Amino acid sequence: YFNDTFSNWTGSASDTPAGLSSVFISISSAAGASGWWTGAAWTGAAENYLATTGLPGWTLTFGAGGAPGIGDFENGKTYTARIRTRDLALPGPGNERIQDFSFLYDTSRPTAYIGDPTHLGFKSSNFAIAGTSDDPDPDGGGPLGRSLVSTVTIIIQEVGWAGASGNCYVPGGSF
């Protein structure tokens, strides 16, 4: 999974004993069949390799050097990154390795629901707060499924009656 909080991709590559001369990446919006990023749109019929910086740890910065910006990716869409590494001993075409990696771009926001206590409900003794959470499947039932919810945080605020402070509850403390 990949989302709009990333500003670059990083990775590592190695070759023994000579090492690597380069790592290039091409990205397709059509599972590697077409739809390659041209530097301006997802319309390329063939790969358009983008240079990465650094070796053996490499980086591709989004929106720089012809790479797509975060706004160029579409929520719920599966992309293929084709990574081409070239050997330092013989760096030309034919002495390289090409690998494909697919990923899902997911910017769907999760939802949470509190079922107990009910909205505007009343409790007069100790109780547990209960509910559910969900992260919608961004590719609509596609092969990758939902990414699940990692954390639900609840804030309790004193509101709604005369004398209410408007303060938030501090665990182990008070309002």
Short mmCIF file of all heavy atoms in Angstrom, two decimals, residues 113-138:
data_model
loop_
_atom_site.label_atom_id
_atom_site.label_comp_id
_atom_site.label_asym_id
_atom_site.label_seq_id
_atom_site.Cartn_x
_atom_site.Cartn_y
_atom_site.Cartn_z
N TYR A 113 -17.24 4.25 14.41
CA TYR A 113 -18.59 4.43 14.89
C TYR A 113 -18.64 3.99 16.35
O TYR A 113 -18.13 2.92 16.70
CB TYR A 113 -19.55 3.58 14.05
CG TYR A 113 -20.94 3.48 14.62
CD1 TYR A 113 -21.82 4.54 14.52
CD2 TYR A 113 -21.36 2.32 15.26
CE1 TYR A 113 -23.09 4.45 15.06
CE2 TYR A 113 -22.63 2.23 15.80
CZ TYR A 113 -23.50 3.30 15.70
OH TYR A 113 -24.75 3.22 16.22
N ILE A 114 -19.23 4.81 17.19
CA ILE A 114 -19.45 4.44 18.59
C ILE A 114 -20.89 3.99 18.73
O ILE A 114 -21.82 4.74 18.43
CB ILE A 114 -19.15 5.62 19.55
CG1 ILE A 114 -17.68 6.00 19.45
CG2 ILE A 114 -19.54 5.26 20.97
CD1 ILE A 114 -17.29 7.21 20.28
N GLY A 115 -21.08 2.73 19.15
CA GLY A 115 -22.41 2.17 19.31
C GLY A 115 -22.93 2.27 20.73
O GLY A 115 -24.13 2.30 20.98
N ASP A 116 -22.01 2.31 21.70
CA ASP A 116 -22.41 2.42 23.10
C ASP A 116 -21.38 3.26 23.82
O ASP A 116 -20.21 2.93 23.80
CB ASP A 116 -22.51 1.05 23.74
CG ASP A 116 -23.11 1.10 25.14
OD1 ASP A 116 -23.93 2.01 25.41
OD2 ASP A 116 -22.75 0.24 25.96
N PRO A 117 -21.77 4.36 24.39
CA PRO A 117 -23.13 4.87 24.50
C PRO A 117 -23.62 5.43 23.16
O PRO A 117 -22.82 5.86 22.34
CB PRO A 117 -23.02 5.98 25.55
CG PRO A 117 -21.60 6.45 25.45
CD PRO A 117 -20.80 5.25 25.05
N THR A 118 -24.92 5.44 22.98
CA THR A 118 -25.50 5.98 21.76
C THR A 118 -25.33 7.50 21.73
O THR A 118 -25.11 8.13 22.77
CB THR A 118 -27.00 5.64 21.66
OG1 THR A 118 -27.66 6.20 22.79
CG2 THR A 118 -27.21 4.14 21.59
N HIS A 119 -25.45 8.08 20.55
CA HIS A 119 -25.34 9.53 20.39
C HIS A 119 -26.38 10.21 21.30
O HIS A 119 -27.56 9.88 21.25
CB HIS A 119 -25.56 9.91 18.93
CG HIS A 119 -25.43 11.39 18.68
ND1 HIS A 119 -24.27 12.08 18.89
CD2 HIS A 119 -26.34 12.29 18.26
CE1 HIS A 119 -24.46 13.36 18.60
NE2 HIS A 119 -25.72 13.50 18.21
N LEU A 120 -25.92 11.14 22.12
CA LEU A 120 -26.72 11.88 23.09
C LEU A 120 -27.34 10.97 24.16
O LEU A 120 -28.27 11.35 24.85
CB LEU A 120 -27.81 12.71 22.41
CG LEU A 120 -27.31 13.78 21.43
CD1 LEU A 120 -28.49 14.47 20.76
CD2 LEU A 120 -26.41 14.79 22.12
N GLY A 121 -26.78 9.73 24.27
CA GLY A 121 -27.27 8.79 25.29
C GLY A 121 -26.82 9.22 26.69
O GLY A 121 -26.02 10.13 26.87
N PHE A 122 -27.33 8.52 27.68
CA PHE A 122 -27.07 8.85 29.07
C PHE A 122 -26.50 7.63 29.79
O PHE A 122 -27.01 6.52 29.63
CB PHE A 122 -28.37 9.30 29.75
CG PHE A 122 -28.21 9.60 31.21
CD1 PHE A 122 -27.67 10.80 31.62
CD2 PHE A 122 -28.58 8.66 32.16
CE1 PHE A 122 -27.51 11.07 32.98
CE2 PHE A 122 -28.42 8.93 33.51
CZ PHE A 122 -27.88 10.13 33.93
N LYS A 123 -25.44 7.85 30.57
CA LYS A 123 -24.86 6.80 31.41
C LYS A 123 -24.67 7.39 32.80
O LYS A 123 -24.27 8.53 32.95
CB LYS A 123 -23.50 6.34 30.86
CG LYS A 123 -23.56 5.67 29.50
CD LYS A 123 -24.16 4.29 29.60
CE LYS A 123 -24.11 3.60 28.25
NZ LYS A 123 -24.58 2.25 28.28
N SER A 124 -24.97 6.59 33.83
CA SER A 124 -24.86 7.11 35.20
C SER A 124 -23.89 6.32 36.06
O SER A 124 -23.77 6.57 37.24
CB SER A 124 -26.24 7.13 35.86
OG SER A 124 -26.76 5.82 35.93
N SER A 125 -23.19 5.35 35.46
CA SER A 125 -22.19 4.58 36.21
C SER A 125 -21.06 4.20 35.26
O SER A 125 -21.07 4.57 34.09
CB SER A 125 -22.83 3.33 36.82
OG SER A 125 -23.32 2.50 35.78
N ASN A 126 -20.10 3.46 35.76
CA ASN A 126 -18.99 3.05 34.91
C ASN A 126 -19.50 2.26 33.70
O ASN A 126 -20.47 1.50 33.82
CB ASN A 126 -18.01 2.18 35.70
CG ASN A 126 -17.25 2.98 36.73
OD1 ASN A 126 -17.14 4.20 36.61
ND2 ASN A 126 -16.72 2.30 37.73
N PHE A 127 -18.88 2.45 32.57
CA PHE A 127 -19.28 1.75 31.36
C PHE A 127 -18.09 1.68 30.41
O PHE A 127 -17.11 2.40 30.55
CB PHE A 127 -20.45 2.47 30.67
CG PHE A 127 -20.12 3.87 30.20
CD1 PHE A 127 -19.70 4.08 28.89
CD2 PHE A 127 -20.21 4.96 31.05
CE1 PHE A 127 -19.39 5.36 28.45
CE2 PHE A 127 -19.89 6.24 30.62
CZ PHE A 127 -19.48 6.45 29.32
N ALA A 128 -18.18 0.80 29.46
CA ALA A 128 -17.17 0.67 28.41
C ALA A 128 -17.68 1.34 27.14
O ALA A 128 -18.87 1.26 26.83
CB ALA A 128 -16.87 -0.80 28.14
N ILE A 129 -16.82 2.01 26.46
CA ILE A 129 -17.17 2.58 25.15
C ILE A 129 -16.92 1.50 24.12
O ILE A 129 -15.85 0.89 24.08
CB ILE A 129 -16.34 3.84 24.86
CG1 ILE A 129 -16.66 4.92 25.89
CG2 ILE A 129 -16.57 4.33 23.44
CD1 ILE A 129 -15.78 6.14 25.79
N ALA A 130 -17.91 1.24 23.26
CA ALA A 130 -17.79 0.17 22.27
C ALA A 130 -18.23 0.69 20.91
O ALA A 130 -19.10 1.54 20.80
CB ALA A 130 -18.64 -1.02 22.67
N GLY A 131 -17.62 0.16 19.88
CA GLY A 131 -17.98 0.55 18.52
C GLY A 131 -17.21 -0.27 17.51
O GLY A 131 -16.63 -1.30 17.83
N THR A 132 -17.22 0.21 16.28
CA THR A 132 -16.54 -0.49 15.19
C THR A 132 -15.72 0.52 14.39
O THR A 132 -15.91 1.73 14.48
CB THR A 132 -17.56 -1.15 14.24
OG1 THR A 132 -18.42 -0.14 13.71
CG2 THR A 132 -18.39 -2.20 14.97
N SER A 133 -14.82 -0.02 13.59
CA SER A 133 -14.05 0.81 12.66
C SER A 133 -13.85 0.03 11.38
O SER A 133 -13.94 -1.20 11.36
CB SER A 133 -12.69 1.19 13.27
OG SER A 133 -11.91 0.04 13.49
N ASP A 134 -13.59 0.76 10.30
CA ASP A 134 -13.43 0.11 9.00
C ASP A 134 -12.60 1.01 8.10
O ASP A 134 -12.63 2.23 8.22
CB ASP A 134 -14.80 -0.12 8.36
CG ASP A 134 -14.72 -0.95 7.10
OD1 ASP A 134 -13.85 -1.85 7.01
OD2 ASP A 134 -15.53 -0.71 6.18
N ASP A 135 -11.83 0.39 7.24
CA ASP A 135 -11.12 1.11 6.19
C ASP A 135 -11.65 0.58 4.87
O ASP A 135 -11.39 -0.57 4.52
CB ASP A 135 -9.61 0.88 6.29
CG ASP A 135 -8.82 1.72 5.30
OD1 ASP A 135 -9.36 2.72 4.80
OD2 ASP A 135 -7.66 1.38 5.04
N PRO A 136 -12.41 1.37 4.14
CA PRO A 136 -13.02 0.88 2.91
C PRO A 136 -11.99 0.33 1.93
O PRO A 136 -10.86 0.80 1.88
CB PRO A 136 -13.69 2.13 2.32
CG PRO A 136 -13.79 3.09 3.44
CD PRO A 136 -12.68 2.77 4.39
N ASP A 137 -12.38 -0.69 1.20
CA ASP A 137 -11.52 -1.30 0.19
C ASP A 137 -11.34 -0.32 -0.96
O ASP A 137 -12.29 -0.07 -1.71
CB ASP A 137 -12.15 -2.60 -0.29
CG ASP A 137 -11.26 -3.37 -1.24
OD1 ASP A 137 -10.23 -2.83 -1.68
OD2 ASP A 137 -11.59 -4.52 -1.53
N PRO A 138 -10.15 0.27 -1.13
CA PRO A 138 -9.99 1.32 -2.14
C PRO A 138 -10.06 0.83 -3.58
O PRO A 138 -10.31 1.62 -4.47
CB PRO A 138 -8.61 1.90 -1.82
CG PRO A 138 -7.89 0.80 -1.14
CD PRO A 138 -8.94 0.03 -0.38
#
